[in-house]
Amino acid sequence: MNQAPGTVLALSQMGDLQIGTTPDGQHQTATVEVLARDWGAYGKIEAGAIMEDGTAVVAVLSAADETELRIPQRAPNSNIAISWRNRTGTGGQGDSDDNESVPAGDGNNGDGLTLYEEYRGFWEQGKHVEGNPSKKDFFVHVDPTSMGVSPASAVAKKGVALFEAASGLTVHHLDRGEFEPPQSGTDFSLNRRVVNFNHDNVNHRVDQHLVVLTAVRTPDGNSHARRSNTNALRTPKVFSRIEIAEQALKQLSQQQLIRDVAHELGHSLNVYHHGEGGEVIRYLVFKSDGSLVEADDNAGTRNPVVIRQLIDETTKAVLHDNANRVPGPQRSTPVKASLPPGKQHSGDESCILRYNDANVVVRPGQLDVRYWISPSETPGGVLCTDGLGKTFNKTGIPAQPSRHGNASAGRGSCVHQILVNDAVPAQPR
């Protein structure tokens, strides 16, 4: 509270109260200025006077018949401005409510931020931004210390944009200084990465965490969502960071890299693969006598399996037949073999969570035949609504057997798995 120009008040402090007192004498008016130093600030003003006969009177707001002037204008049981409630259509909600239902995700409402915290807002890239009280908010940080303005940064941001479009969430990009970052990839402290760290204990539900994306050299050359628990996914609080493999930046197409970022973001919100396992990395080795084997090494000597036929999975053309082999120079081709059905490559072909990197398929009952995938499968760009294959994974077509099959039981339907809210126990799948 400040003295207004032309007004001389004696200002004093009593606990949380500021008191402005006019000098002795008769006064028709007294004016003070009230300044807010927080986007969620609230307070109240009461006025009174001592009459010439010593009687104390309290000012009453004529329109409301109340002795308190609430600033900003708000309901008696709320610290949120009525104007904001009218603008956002949240007039019937309590300050501590956390009940956004869009997108529906796994059916749990809310995003970890109470209505008051959405109203108060946060700093996003140097600007004050409010939360979205009608849509779930999700927070990320693209780590500039590992990416800077490199291609990794552009890939990360495009991957976030893809996931935002596919999920229907409102995604916010926070900078360093707008949250406390983790100290390393193994720093799983719940005191870090908190979005709503500056809060009171009245209108706060949970410490809601963001997800950090960083570029690092990973041991296996693949991107990962690094989490504190190894048996289940859960919500952002258990993920120290998403690691974009530096090796992959040099080896994969930009489309594949963008999909991989979106894929790992899905994991940070409890979205699972379409199935587990079902992919092995092997070598197809053409021996000098014209025979074909599949083995664990490019010489064809470790755990070799003689391949009777290699068939183009799309055209049905026989690419190699051991019965009619032609001797020639030995050569090898590294492959990723899919072992369907219901594994990582299964389900809706357009889904971000489906693996799309298999070269060959091993069908049940045909362990000495390999089906070559041509052309290569393209990365998904949406989150699927069920676990069924739609094109080459579709089942029930005798003339064209399903390539990888439908998703495993309880998997797929990825758009219905999303869980942002750190206050809600995640359902393992």
Side-chain angles (χ1 to χ4, degrees):
M1 182 167 64
N2 293 341
Q3 297 178 9
T7 303
V8 180
L9 294 178
L11 299 179
S12 61
Q13 190 82 28
M14 182 183 295
D16 291 335
L17 301 178
Q18 282 188 307
I19 300 173
T21 307
T22 59
D24 290 341
Q26 295 184 351
H27 301 275
Q28 296 294 321
T29 62
T31 305
V32 295
E33 291 180 346
V34 178
L35 304 179
R37 302 188 185 277
D38 188 289
W39 293 100
Y42 56 88
K44 60 185 179 181
I45 292 179
E46 295 178 339
I50 306 297
M51 309 304 288
E52 289 183 341
D53 62 0
T55 303
V57 296
V58 177
V60 177
L61 296 172
S62 58
D65 195 26
E66 295 178 350
T67 60
E68 295 180 348
L69 175 63
R70 289 182 292 278
I71 301 176
Q73 185 181 10
R74 64 188 196 278
N77 61 346
S78 174
N79 295 325
I80 297 175
I82 290 175
S83 61
W84 187 85
R85 287 182 174 278
N86 291 339
R87 174 165 58 85
T88 57
T90 54
Q93 298 184 35
D95 289 14
S96 296
D97 285 356
D98 176 26
N99 56 11
E100 300 96 329
S101 60
V102 178
D106 71 345
N108 284 293
N109 287 349
D111 55 15
L113 303 179
T114 64
L115 187 67
Y116 174 75
E117 290 173 331
E118 304 261 10
Y119 160 73
R120 188 185 186 199
F122 38 85
W123 288 102
E124 181 178 355
Q125 298 184 332
K127 297 180 180 179
H128 175 258
V129 177
E130 295 172 351
N132 189 335
S134 60
K135 204 173 180 184
K136 296 174 185 176
D137 294 290
F138 176 48
F139 296 81
V140 300
H141 169 68
V142 177
D143 180 16
T145 61
S146 68
M147 299 188 195
V149 293
S150 70
S153 178
V155 163
K157 291 175 181 177
K158 288 179 180 179
V160 172
L162 174 62
F163 184 74
E164 181 174 23
S167 66
L169 297 166
T170 297
V171 178
H172 302 275
H173 292 255
L174 302 194
D175 287 340
R176 279 184 177 268
E178 297 168 348
F179 70 100
E180 186 174 358
Q183 301 303 302
S184 68
T186 57
D187 180 4
F188 299 104
S189 171
L190 294 181
N191 295 323
R192 308 194 201 281
R193 299 180 293 105
V194 179
V195 175
N196 51 349
F197 58 90
N198 185 16
H199 63 81
D200 60 25
N201 293 319
V202 178
N203 298 311
H204 181 72
R205 182 182 184 187
V206 69
D207 285 356
Q208 183 64 31
H209 296 75
L210 59 69
V211 173
V212 174
L213 295 94
T214 187
V216 298
R217 187 171 184 82
T218 60
D220 62 359
N222 296 320
S223 299
H224 298 280
R226 182 78 75 91
R227 62 187 188 271
S228 59
N229 60 304
T230 58
N231 297 323
L233 293 179
R234 303 183 188 172
T235 56
K237 66 182 179 183
V238 307
F239 291 85
S240 66
R241 64 190 188 185
I242 287 175
E243 298 176 339
I244 303 171
E246 291 178 349
Q247 304 97 305
L249 291 168
K250 301 175 182 178
Q251 298 168 357
L252 302 180
S253 69
Q254 185 171 90
Q255 183 185 13
Q256 186 67 54
L257 289 165
I258 291 169
R259 170 267 179 198
D260 289 354
V261 171
H263 178 105
E264 300 304 334
L265 285 169
H267 287 331
S268 75
L269 301 184
N270 206 45
V271 184
Y272 282 71
H273 291 143
H274 288 187
E276 296 304 326
E279 178 180 270
V280 294
I281 300 175
R282 301 266 278 170
Y283 289 87
L284 286 178
V285 182
F286 292 87
K287 308 292 281 187
S288 58
D289 63 358
S291 64
L292 175 64
V293 299
E294 184 184 85
D296 290 336
D297 65 323
N298 60 9
T301 59
R302 287 176 22 215
N303 300 317
V305 175
V306 176
I307 302 303
R308 179 171 55 86
Q309 284 187 322
L310 178 64
I311 300 173
D312 187 303
E313 193 260 355
T314 302
T315 67
K316 312 293 192 301
V318 177
L319 305 177
H320 178 87
D321 191 325
N322 262 358
N324 300 300
R325 63 195 188 205
V326 177
Q330 181 171 316
R331 65 186 189 278
S332 64
T333 301
V335 295
K336 289 186 179 180
S338 167
L339 310 174
K343 304 300 182 181
Q344 292 172 330
H345 297 81
S346 65
D348 192 323
E349 301 82 357
S350 63
C351 184
I352 292 167
L353 270 294
R354 190 190 76 86
Y355 277 43
N356 64 284
D357 58 350
N359 305 97
V360 297
V361 176
V362 184
R363 290 178 181 167
Q366 295 181 289
L367 300 183
D368 60 350
V369 177
R370 295 295 180 268
Y371 290 88
W372 188 263
I373 296 174
S374 177
S376 299
E377 297 174 6
T378 56
V382 302
L383 293 176
C384 62
T385 58
D386 59 45
L388 304 179
K390 304 298 188 298
T391 57
F392 54 75
N393 281 349
K394 188 173 183 178
T395 60
I397 305 176
Q400 180 60 53
S402 175
R403 183 178 293 175
H404 307 293
N406 293 327
S408 179
R411 300 292 184 91
S413 191
C414 293
V415 75
H416 300 128
Q417 296 183 35
I418 297 170
L419 177 60
V420 179
N421 200 329
D422 276 337
V424 178
Q427 176 68 40
R429 293 178 173 83

